[in-house]
Amino acid sequence: GISYWALVEMVRRRAGIGEADDRETVRAGLSATLEQFVPDPEERRWISPRLEGLLGIEELPVEGREELFAAWRTFFERMSEQAPVILVFTDLHWADQGMLDFVEHLLSWARATPIFVVALARPELLERRAEWGSGVRSVTRLHVEPLTDAQIQELLEGMVPGLPAAALRQIIERAEGIPLYAVETVRMLLDRELLVARDGRYRLSGDLASLPVAQTLHALIASRLDANKPEDRALLQDASVLGQSFTLDALAAVAGEEPSTLTERLDRLVSRELLTVDADPRSPERGQYQFVQAVVREVAYASMGRADRRSRHIAAARHLEALGEDETAGVLASHYFAAYQASRAGDEADALAAQARIALQAAADRAASLHSHRQAVGYLEQAISVTGDPAEQAALHLRATEFGENSLDLDEAIEHAVTARELYRSLGDPRGVLRAATWLGRNHTTTKLETQAVAIFEEAMVEGADLAESPEMAALLAELSRVYMMTGRSEEAVATADRSLHLAGNHALIRPVVEALINKGSALMNLGRMTEAAATLRGATAEADRHGLAHASLRARNNLLGTIGLDDVAGSQILVREGYDLAQRLGNRTFTAQFLMLLASNGLQLGEWGSWMDEIAAFEEAEPLDPFFQMAYANIRAILAALHADREGAAEQVDLARAAATPLDSQLVTASLALTDAQVARAAGDWSIAARRGLEAARDTNFDTEGPTIAAQAAVAGDLAGELSEAIALLKGVHRTGRLKDAALAAAEAGQAARAGRSDEARAGYRRARTLFHEGGNRLEEAFTGLTWGLLAGDSDPEAVSAQAEANAFFTWRGGARMVAAFKAAFVPLAGSAAAATPARRAADAASRVPSA
């Protein structure tokens, strides 16, 4: 019930810290350990408060889980730089959800370091988390099969030489391959004094001819428990309520006795191998008692009646309350919840339900503070199950929605938000309806269900019209401005963001202000107000950093890229790399995926074909991807295949992209697929498809420059006058400014002039376009422009011949010679142009075979 308990124990053990150590001792031990393993003082200052928060001696910094996980992971990585690190988890099926998330995080992000994780678990782990670990490339699962009869016999004969054949056969038959059954049988024989220990082995001391062997392991252990004195058996039941391990003081509290009176009985239970004592001086649990096997505890607990369980859980809860430790909030909640479940309906059950709700909400808060959001949702769902008040249920569902988003369990988060909204409606609580609708729409936006998100937000605004000046409306408007921005409704996005900023400022809200600033800056960029957009996004980044809003900080940086992407691809690539490094350090998988996509896309434009594809492949193998990024990476592979004239490979990747996009309802997705189709068709010389799909990508407004750029070039190559005119009109209407947009427009107008016979105008336009593409770093479009110009001008213009030679060299160097051949074969020449090659043309073709530096 304690969040990240195994991780806490590992840090304590490494630092030589005991559970009972005071705050200053813990801090000193932790500080010494950090100095030993983390040489960088700045990194120590970053890791230290996050480990102190884990150990419960300080409040955790206010930030996202990514920062917390990254700090813990970095601690182990620095340890591994001095020697390999092995982390061993036993009974991982009991771990809290956050612990399971961290182990997956560690395995996914620390692949290049010598860290080895060993996790032992029962099949129940996969009942809780069916896909746990399955998407991590470095995970190997070993299923422990039952032992053979021969192996069980060897085990028994090794432990008890001379065991009679009849008894041996009977034990083997009952064991059914479970070694613990054989071990427990030996312990039963010891209990009955039919075995004696001698020279590290057991020897017979009585007649075993008529040995009664229990049918099952549980029955065998139950018979062992029954053979104890009543007071010892009762003590085991007391202990079973506390868990697998427990302190003497806790046991005394549950038993209602003084600790000193229990020592003799505990010694007997240890000697009978039902309990053990942790005597390891390095262990944080040294001095504590433990059940020798988890199944022994389970049988002891199952042997109690409901009334006994109830009274013992209440006693354990009272003991924990007296300790007043926040760290044990989850255990306290579990005891009250179990006591309620063991109660009969009535006033006492109602009182326990109230205590359970309070404790469960405190446990959820503690789990959430450690960013174990799945565990927090679990506590809240338990609290809902013992709550009869609809208002309280609605509030709990709403909190579960927020925690569910943070854990990326968005389907579950949506369900909780829908339930909360309906409960608030039934209660006539418009503020609650607005809060629930805000989370519901936000989660739909995140899952790329933008149409539904807009409908949810706009319906809520009508429903909450009387709360137009409320803080709830400020938060809703911030989210609505985001989905307006994403769907191309830029003017509405700016106006909505401004309204949210006004309300949020009046109510001193932080998160809506940051979110609205990001959305406004992005919308301003779409409107061509680039300086204002950049300033707004930089301000949003600074505020997100200042208030520890990690996800918003990454989103602001991502959107800031748009202010320079149309002007400087190389400069954009530097910022993308910075964002990628930050997302990796924070362990933010969504933005790591986003920045990887941009790095690979920019690499195509820079002429670095295939760059970052190995990183993408490793990232895909680490764990399953969101459908959007499955589509995005397939799109990149399709374009890369098309540039290498691999039509089958391109078609296969296009199909994969469409399949991944099927569940998504997003203009961005629609435009991405159209743009990929356009680029693949251009490389293959399918001019009509390239022009049409490029224009469609532009009409969806997400690719208002990229789409017309490709459409215009395809229209020039295929002599498609109508499509070319439309592409030029679209480029002229683009509000965002930058060299690449100006280059695309210059190339399109130059192609139009060439087709109309205005060669001087065409030459000036193509010269300007190539210069702007080169200065902006888009070597790919520079090469396509030179290739198109050369094919239009033929041998009449030496400058065009040279431009085509450079383009040929660019593509040939990168493995695109076959694509160039297909491009030339499909190109529609100017009317009346000469088909025969001249010396200048032969020189251009020869140059295409000479790689350029």
Side-chain angles (χ1 to χ4, degrees):
I2 298 178
S3 299
Y4 305 106
W5 182 251
L7 192 62
V8 170
E9 294 292 273
M10 289 176 177
V11 174
R12 282 177 174 159
R13 180 179 286 267
R14 174 57 63 175
I17 299 168
E19 281 187 27
D21 289 344
D22 59 39
R23 186 180 298 254
E24 292 309 313
T25 302
V26 173
R27 185 176 284 110
L30 187 59
S31 177
T33 301
L34 285 171
E35 288 190 11
Q36 177 184 358
F37 293 110
V38 186
D40 183 2
E42 186 63 31
E43 199 167 56
R44 282 202 303 272
R45 283 191 288 272
W46 173 59
I47 295 173
S48 181
R50 290 155 183 87
L51 286 180
E52 290 176 352
L54 175 68
L55 300 183
I57 61 172
E58 292 293 345
E59 291 292 327
L60 280 165
V62 178
E63 60 193 5
R65 189 179 74 167
E66 295 87 356
E67 186 95 3
L68 196 61
F69 276 15
W72 297 345
R73 182 190 79 237
T74 302
F75 172 65
F76 290 115
E77 288 176 336
R78 297 297 170 265
M79 287 174 56
S80 74
E81 291 172 0
Q82 298 187 22
V85 171
I86 302 175
L87 307 179
V88 183
F89 298 88
T90 58
D91 291 333
L92 193 65
H93 49 278
W94 292 118
D96 59 281
Q97 297 284 11
M99 187 74 258
L100 296 177
D101 291 341
F102 177 72
V103 175
E104 282 191 315
H105 167 93
L106 183 67
L107 292 170
S108 297
W109 293 93
R111 294 191 302 270
T113 58
I115 295 177
F116 185 61
V117 176
V118 181
L120 310 178
R122 296 184 192 172
E124 293 93 294
L125 172 63
L126 298 183
E127 293 174 8
R128 291 174 57 200
R129 296 274 290 273
E131 301 300 322
W132 187 83
S134 62
V136 181
R137 180 177 55 171
S138 56
V139 165
T140 300
R141 287 184 179 175
L142 298 176
H143 297 278
V144 180
E145 301 296 335
L147 299 184
T148 64
D149 288 352
Q151 290 169 328
I152 292 287
Q153 180 173 338
E154 183 180 357
L155 171 65
L156 287 166
E157 290 176 341
M159 295 175 67
V160 188
L163 194 64
L168 182 63
R169 185 169 56 253
Q170 194 175 9
I171 296 171
I172 291 172
E173 290 175 356
R174 293 283 190 267
E176 295 182 343
I178 301 174
L180 182 57
Y181 184 96
V183 172
E184 285 298 319
T185 300
V186 172
R187 286 174 175 156
M188 180 192 70
L189 297 175
L190 285 167
D191 292 345
R192 299 183 182 186
E193 299 181 347
L194 294 173
L195 294 178
V196 294
R198 188 180 303 155
D199 300 328
R201 302 173 86 179
Y202 297 114
R203 304 293 179 182
L204 290 170
S205 62
D207 182 14
L208 296 187
S210 60
L211 173 67
V213 180
Q215 291 285 339
T216 66
L217 177 61
H218 280 68
L220 175 59
I221 293 173
S223 69
R224 289 195 63 214
L225 299 185
D226 289 341
N228 288 274
K229 293 181 178 181
E231 62 269 26
D232 293 353
R233 187 168 65 251
L235 196 60
L236 283 173
Q237 292 174 329
D238 293 333
S240 71
V241 170
L242 293 168
Q244 183 66 18
S245 63
F246 50 90
T247 64
L248 180 59
D249 287 343
L251 180 60
V254 174
E257 301 185 35
E258 289 297 319
S260 59
T261 66
L262 304 179
T263 305
E264 183 179 348
R265 290 150 65 185
L266 287 169
D267 288 344
R268 286 198 297 268
L269 293 170
V270 170
S271 68
R272 295 171 74 87
E273 295 192 33
L274 293 165
L275 298 177
T276 62
V277 180
D278 190 339
D280 186 347
R282 298 168 299 172
S283 172
E285 293 184 328
R286 58 187 175 272
Q288 292 190 20
Y289 290 87
Q290 299 175 351
F291 282 91
V292 70
Q293 295 286 346
V295 69
V296 176
R297 172 187 172 265
E298 293 169 11
V299 172
Y301 187 80
S303 67
M304 287 186 291
R306 290 178 60 182
D308 289 334
R309 290 184 192 177
R310 176 183 174 281
S311 62
R312 284 175 164 97
H313 278 298
I314 291 174
R318 299 284 189 259
H319 170 71
L320 289 171
E321 284 180 327
L323 295 177
E325 296 176 352
D326 292 340
E327 189 179 33
T328 59
V331 182
L332 176 63
S334 297
H335 282 301
Y336 272 129
F337 187 68
Y340 166 78
Q341 289 181 312
S343 300
R344 298 185 183 278
D347 293 341
E348 290 186 0
D350 293 341
L352 282 172
Q355 290 175 305
R357 286 196 298 275
I358 295 170
L360 286 164
Q361 291 184 66
D365 290 339
R366 168 66 181 172
S369 73
L370 287 165
H371 302 287
S372 181
H373 295 292
R374 285 175 173 161
Q375 187 183 29
V377 171
Y379 285 134
L380 292 175
E381 288 174 343
Q382 286 183 331
I384 291 168
S385 73
V386 296
T387 302
D389 180 5
E392 191 172 355
Q393 286 179 342
L396 291 170
H397 279 293
L398 199 55
R399 293 185 67 201
T401 298
E402 180 178 357
F403 294 152
E405 186 209 45
N406 290 331
S407 68
L408 296 182
D409 291 330
L410 294 176
D411 290 341
E412 183 178 349
I414 287 172
E415 289 180 11
H416 280 295
V418 168
T419 304
R421 184 179 61 174
E422 296 312 308
L423 284 169
Y424 281 125
R425 280 175 173 167
S426 69
L427 293 165
D429 182 347
R431 290 182 182 273
V433 172
L434 275 183
R435 290 195 298 270
T438 298
W439 279 105
L440 182 58
R442 176 186 175 91
N443 290 330
H444 276 82
T445 303
T446 302
T447 52
K448 301 293 187 295
L449 300 173
E450 294 149 6
T451 303
Q452 292 98 311
V454 170
I456 290 166
F457 288 134
E458 292 181 344
E459 178 188 16
M461 290 179 65
V462 173
E463 197 169 352
D466 293 339
L467 299 171
E469 303 300 316
S470 67
E472 290 81 7
M473 188 62 75
L476 185 143
L477 290 170
E479 296 300 331
L480 179 59
S481 68
R482 177 187 174 200
V483 74
Y484 278 162
M485 176 270 295
M486 292 176 65
T487 53
R489 298 164 66 171
S490 301
E491 295 282 4
E492 291 172 276
V494 171
T496 305
D498 280 339
R499 187 177 167 198
S500 175
L501 289 167
H502 172 73
L503 290 176
N506 289 345
H507 295 288
L509 305 176
I510 301 300
R511 180 170 172 166
V513 166
V514 173
E515 296 288 353
L517 284 172
I518 296 172
N519 302 331
K520 179 180 178 179
S522 305
L524 288 170
M525 176 179 61
N526 293 336
L527 292 170
R529 295 156 63 177
M530 306 302 285
T531 302
E532 190 178 354
T536 303
L537 288 167
R538 291 184 190 280
T541 303
E543 286 303 298
D545 289 345
R546 188 162 74 92
H547 293 285
L549 301 174
H551 188 274
S553 178
L554 287 166
R555 193 164 81 87
R557 284 176 165 83
N558 175 71
N559 292 13
L560 180 61
L561 290 167
T563 64
I564 64 170
L566 286 179
D567 194 65
D568 183 4
V569 178
S572 172
Q573 189 76 331
I574 293 171
L575 287 181
V576 175
R577 179 58 192 266
E578 291 177 2
Y580 171 72
D581 290 341
L582 176 60
Q584 276 210 310
R585 183 172 72 83
L586 295 178
N588 187 303
R589 187 166 174 80
T590 299
F591 274 102
T592 297
Q594 170 77 1
F595 289 127
L596 264 179
M597 176 186 71
L598 295 174
L599 286 167
S601 297
N602 285 348
L604 287 173
Q605 296 176 34
L606 291 166
E608 300 165 359
W609 293 4
S611 63
W612 297 97
M613 298 311 295
D614 288 343
E615 287 82 355
I616 285 176
F619 187 71
E620 287 175 312
E621 289 180 16
E623 59 182 270
L625 282 178
D626 176 275
F628 176 80
F629 291 111
Q630 292 179 35
M631 176 204 70
Y633 294 153
N635 281 340
I636 294 169
R637 290 191 176 98
I639 296 166
L640 193 57
L643 291 171
H644 288 108
D646 178 6
R647 289 203 175 199
E648 290 185 3
E652 179 183 355
Q653 292 299 321
V654 166
D655 288 343
L656 289 174
R658 292 190 184 286
T662 299
L664 305 177
D665 180 15
S666 166
Q667 286 189 358
L668 175 61
V669 168
T670 302
S672 295
L673 293 171
L675 188 66
T676 297
D677 286 345
Q679 294 183 82
V680 169
R682 174 179 66 174
D686 296 331
W687 310 127
S688 179
I689 294 174
R692 174 172 56 81
R693 294 296 278 161
L695 293 172
E696 288 173 0
R699 293 190 194 105
D700 282 318
T701 74
N702 289 291
F703 298 103
D704 53 2
T705 297
E706 297 90 335
T709 298
I710 296 167
Q713 191 181 93
V716 170
D719 195 15
L720 306 172
E723 288 85 344
L724 179 57
S725 295
E726 185 177 353
I728 290 172
L730 286 171
L731 284 169
K732 287 181 177 179
V734 172
H735 297 294
R736 294 186 294 164
T737 58
R739 282 178 290 198
L740 301 183
K741 177 250 182 170
D742 294 341
L745 180 58
E749 292 182 327
Q752 191 177 53
R755 287 290 182 188
R758 303 192 300 273
S759 57
D760 290 342
E761 184 182 339
R763 181 185 304 108
Y766 274 123
R767 184 185 298 141
R768 181 168 185 264
R770 291 183 71 238
T771 298
L772 288 172
F773 276 132
H774 187 81
E775 291 175 350
N778 196 327
R779 298 293 308 283
L780 179 65
E781 294 306 326
E782 178 188 357
F784 270 122
T785 300
L787 184 61
T788 302
W789 183 16
L791 291 172
L792 284 171
D795 297 321
S796 63
D797 188 339
E799 189 175 354
V801 171
S802 176
Q804 185 181 352
E806 290 182 20
N808 287 338
F810 171 88
F811 286 118
T812 301
W813 175 262
R814 290 158 181 81
R818 289 193 301 139
M819 184 277 297
V820 171
F823 192 99
K824 291 179 179 179
F827 195 89
V828 179
L830 290 177
S833 63
T838 65
R841 172 64 58 205
R842 287 195 296 272
D845 290 339
S848 70
R849 295 190 291 273
V850 180
S852 63

